[in-house]
Amino acid sequence: MDIQANAASTRETLQRFETTLGEIQQPGLFACSGILNTGLPGITIPSLGPLGLPLCEAQARQLIGICTRSTSSSTTDNAASAPWELPPAQVLFSNPKWSETIAVVVGQAKHGLGVSEHVGIEARLHKLLLYENGCHSPMQVTEKQEGTFATLLIQLPSIYQGGHLIVCHKVCCSISICLSA
């Protein structure tokens, strides 16, 4: 390819990029949050049966008995501070309206993140996490499946209060959201 053809290709690419940037209707945030006023998901763990929410201590212990410690966090602390996790194949949602709820949440997240309405986004369960008192999990969002660009966290009803979710993008930006029952 000669220099003139390369320059023309570069100009064309830059023009397409500029056109695409011009189509952005609103700036997006790197994180957004909200409160779901909806029914419960109806979580069933095949080896345990339906889970009551908020989890009672006995069910939490049963759930921990089939979970493993999360290894996807980037923590260098004691492994005992990591949350427990269960893979998606072991988590079923029996509430038929739960998928509608997730669709609404995804729509709200798209808007908050500044993603165009005509862009298709699908939410998939990556894992169920269970945090005990003292657990923490510094994580880095990575592409878990092809096309992953964000992580959707849903805190289920709990009898416990407190804790924080701190979301950072680059070094200088952060949002702290207090989690409570």
Side-chain angles (χ1 to χ4, degrees):
M1 181 181 291
D2 66 6
I3 294 175
Q4 289 179 337
N6 193 16
S9 175
T10 301
R11 275 194 302 277
E12 183 180 316
T13 300
L14 288 173
Q15 286 173 341
R16 282 197 319 262
F17 183 66
E18 185 177 340
T19 300
T20 301
L21 285 177
E23 292 175 358
I24 295 175
Q25 304 257 327
Q26 66 181 30
L29 303 170
F30 71 90
C32 54
S33 66
I35 296 174
L36 269 170
N37 292 316
T38 185
L40 298 173
I43 296 175
T44 298
I45 307 301
S47 60
L48 298 178
L51 296 182
L53 293 176
L55 270 181
C56 68
E57 186 71 27
Q59 270 198 323
R61 291 286 147 223
Q62 289 177 327
L63 186 57
I64 286 171
I66 62 168
C67 289
T68 58
R69 285 286 185 184
S70 180
T71 58
S72 64
S73 67
S74 60
T75 184
T76 56
D77 297 336
N78 184 342
S81 66
W84 296 95
E85 69 178 51
L86 200 59
Q90 295 183 39
V91 181
L92 305 174
F93 299 101
S94 60
N95 181 347
K97 296 201 178 271
W98 188 246
S99 59
E100 295 171 22
T101 298
I102 295 301
V104 169
V105 171
V106 167
Q108 292 172 347
K110 280 174 65 171
H111 180 74
L113 297 172
V115 177
S116 175
E117 288 298 317
H118 63 272
V119 173
I121 294 178
E122 178 183 355
R124 293 186 197 141
L125 180 64
H126 180 62
K127 64 178 105 176
L128 178 97
L129 291 173
L130 177 63
Y131 288 82
E132 292 180 282
N133 189 24
C135 281
H136 58 88
S137 180
M139 295 184 277
Q140 292 183 349
V141 175
T142 57
E143 189 172 344
K144 294 161 180 68
Q145 296 175 341
E146 187 174 329
T148 299
F149 74 95
T151 297
L152 174 65
L153 300 173
I154 297 178
Q155 179 189 3
L156 298 171
S158 172
I159 59 173
Y160 299 100
Q161 293 188 2
H164 288 82
L165 173 64
I166 301 171
V167 182
C168 299
H169 177 66
K170 308 236 177 187
V171 178
C172 60
C173 301
S174 69
I175 293 177
S176 178
I177 304 164
C178 184
L179 305 175
S180 60

